[in-house]
Amino acid sequence: MPSRHRFTLLSALCCVALLSPAAAQVALPGEAQIGPRPFYLVDKMKDGALKQKLSQCTGPFRRSDFSIGHRGAALQFPEHSRESYTAAARMGAGVIECDVTFTKDRQLVCRHSQCDLATTTNILSVPELAAKCSQPFVPADPATGRKASAKCCTSDITLAEFRRLTAKMDGSNPNATTAAEFQNGTPRWRTDLYANSGTLMTHDESIALIRSLGAKFTPELKAPEVPMPFDGDYTQEKYAAQMLDAYKAAGIPASDVFAQSFGLADILFWVKTAPEFAAQAVYLEDRYEKQGLDAGKPATWKPSMAELKASGVKILGPPIALMLTLNDKGEIVPSEYARAARAAGLDLIGWSLERDGPLDKGGGFYHRSVKRAIDRDGDTLTVLDVLAQQVGVRAMFSDWPATTTFYASCMGMK
């Protein structure tokens, strides 16, 4: 080929590479692609100093450990799928979550709960696997008021069978009369645009992927929904140890792993058997469910904050609503619960931002303690600011990590 033609061809290829949308989406190490949503939220904020500061923030936007991908980027991508994890990393999540449970043959996989396959995968569309569900699909019956239901557990199937499934957006239609209708129940504020072929992940696969994406790990040991010991001798302790053993086998430093559990016994087991991991294990707060814990009444907290600290707990993971309240002026402020946790020397990691859907009517579970102060989507950033600056959370779970990444970058957080 004549040299002039070679130069022209090389020039053209260079230009194609520069202009290619795929090439343009490749971020440099540490960079984040936050998209339009954070700016939309800023535009929807109430006027004030915080809005003014955030509206002037144009980047650069960087990966931050403050930003945790809750099940990945579950606002738009099927939770705990390869696509969801990848999206979270691109949005700058410095830490990504795999909820860990086990299959019939004791292999660890990423699912929010052991028995959610009917609402988060296509299992009901695979007849031979649907037949193995703990409770096969039952249609709704308007005459009796019965709602449609199904219960399909990872422990009902083997790892090989699990691999045959695809992920979908979490949701179900309680009025369904067919399995296909039952699976078509995505909440209106999410989307099925990216849910046609969500790739399920084993725990080991999630470790390899998240490491390749340059992020850290927060695996949650999910409470079994089958009697333990399972299958004769698979105890809770073996299950808890197996989860951490996967990181050891992969050569992941304990400092990069934030192991979680709603079971205090799991945390204390790690304190005794894996202190290097327990140093930043997260005790997920559920005393409000089991004990009727009141965020404003320390006497209801069993064990107390001081007792948790003395037992070896370093990080507490409460829902947003438990950490916030309203003062006499109707302003969002830290709750007594949050102040007591910090006073006891406990770090806080909150869950989960952007989980309630649109906030125009005050939000749902996650904002219930400050509902009267919430009336627009922009209040997401107001809540986040109180959690970061006044409560002092060290990190936040979010269903759309671009929001927490944006905030962390704009506020100079790591």
Side-chain angles (χ1 to χ4, degrees):
M1 178 185 294
S3 60
R4 175 171 55 85
H5 293 161
R6 285 200 301 269
F7 177 79
T8 302
L9 177 58
L10 289 172
S11 299
L13 289 174
C14 177
C15 292
V16 169
L18 289 172
L19 296 175
S20 165
Q25 291 300 308
V26 178
L28 296 174
E31 288 190 351
Q33 303 163 2
I34 64 168
R37 181 163 177 79
F39 303 102
Y40 162 82
L41 294 176
V42 172
D43 289 343
K44 296 296 182 181
M45 292 179 71
K46 299 178 181 74
D47 291 337
L50 180 61
K51 180 176 182 178
Q52 182 176 5
K53 179 172 184 175
L54 294 179
S55 66
Q56 295 171 349
C57 180
T58 58
F61 303 108
R62 311 289 292 181
R63 177 182 296 138
S64 171
D65 287 355
F66 179 79
S67 179
I68 303 178
H70 182 235
R71 315 183 200 180
L75 184 63
Q76 290 195 36
F77 293 87
E79 62 187 45
H80 297 306
S81 66
R82 173 179 290 274
E83 294 78 8
S84 189
Y85 293 160
T86 302
R90 285 174 174 157
M91 291 185 223
V95 185
I96 298 175
E97 180 186 44
C98 166
D99 290 330
V100 178
T101 188
F102 56 86
T103 61
K104 186 175 183 179
D105 48 353
R106 305 183 185 184
Q107 301 301 302
L108 301 184
V109 296
C110 300
R111 287 290 88 204
H112 177 61
S113 69
Q114 188 168 44
C115 296
D116 71 2
L117 295 181
T119 61
T120 65
T121 77
N122 68 333
I123 191 169
L124 295 181
S125 299
V126 186
E128 61 272 28
L129 298 184
K132 298 187 177 187
C133 291
S134 294
Q135 177 201 307
F137 171 70
V138 176
D141 185 352
T144 63
R146 182 183 69 200
K147 298 298 184 182
S149 63
K151 182 179 180 181
C152 304
C153 307
T154 56
S155 52
D156 292 335
I157 59 176
T158 66
L159 177 59
E161 291 167 332
F162 176 83
R163 290 185 185 279
R164 295 176 56 191
L165 303 176
T166 57
K168 74 175 191 69
M169 294 300 286
D170 186 18
S172 61
N173 178 359
N175 300 313
T177 58
T178 67
E181 289 178 348
F182 181 78
Q183 293 178 106
N184 186 19
T186 301
R188 64 178 178 82
W189 64 85
R190 297 185 184 140
T191 178
D192 286 321
L193 284 175
Y194 311 108
N196 290 330
S197 57
T199 308
L200 293 179
M201 302 292 290
T202 69
H203 182 222
D204 285 345
E205 288 169 346
S206 80
I207 293 174
L209 175 64
I210 292 169
R211 174 163 55 183
S212 75
L213 294 169
K216 297 178 182 178
F217 312 81
T218 184
E220 180 188 335
L221 191 77
K222 301 304 297 188
E225 297 185 43
V226 293
M228 299 292 277
F230 175 72
D231 193 29
D233 64 345
Y234 190 58
T235 64
Q236 183 70 21
E237 291 77 16
K238 287 183 178 180
Y239 173 37
Q242 182 183 2
M243 186 180 86
L244 295 189
D245 285 346
Y247 294 92
K248 297 174 186 177
I252 304 296
S255 58
D256 286 351
V257 181
F258 296 82
Q260 313 170 72
S261 178
F262 278 102
L264 181 57
D266 296 329
I267 305 295
L268 300 183
F269 173 74
W270 293 329
V271 169
K272 292 180 180 179
T273 63
E276 69 278 20
F277 286 92
Q280 55 185 27
V282 183
Y283 173 39
L284 296 169
E285 179 66 83
D286 68 348
R287 291 175 293 170
Y288 64 91
E289 289 185 334
K290 295 180 178 178
Q291 304 172 11
L293 181 152
D294 187 321
K297 297 179 180 178
T300 67
W301 309 338
K302 306 294 182 183
S304 69
M305 298 298 185
E307 289 168 338
L308 284 177
K309 179 69 174 180
S311 71
V313 174
K314 300 281 198 306
I315 306 175
L316 196 55
I320 291 170
L322 210 53
M323 293 185 284
L324 300 178
T325 190
L326 299 177
N327 63 16
D328 293 341
K329 298 179 181 179
E331 299 166 329
I332 302 173
V333 295
S335 68
E336 178 66 24
Y337 170 97
R339 292 196 296 269
R342 295 306 310 278
L346 293 166
D347 282 350
L348 294 171
I349 292 178
W351 48 275
S352 293
L353 207 69
E354 306 238 56
R355 187 72 186 169
D356 278 349
L359 298 186
D360 56 308
K361 295 181 175 60
F365 167 82
Y366 297 97
H367 295 86
R368 61 182 180 175
S369 63
V370 293
K371 183 180 178 69
R372 288 186 290 112
I374 303 294
D375 64 6
R376 64 194 68 194
D377 280 350
D379 288 330
T380 295
L381 291 168
T382 304
V383 166
L384 181 57
D385 187 63
V386 175
L387 290 167
Q389 305 302 325
Q390 297 184 46
V391 174
V393 296
R394 66 179 286 170
M396 279 299 303
F397 282 91
S398 177
D399 276 25
W400 200 244
T403 301
T404 39
T405 298
F406 168 80
Y407 178 86
S409 294
C410 294
M411 303 301 284
M413 305 171 72
K414 294 183 179 179

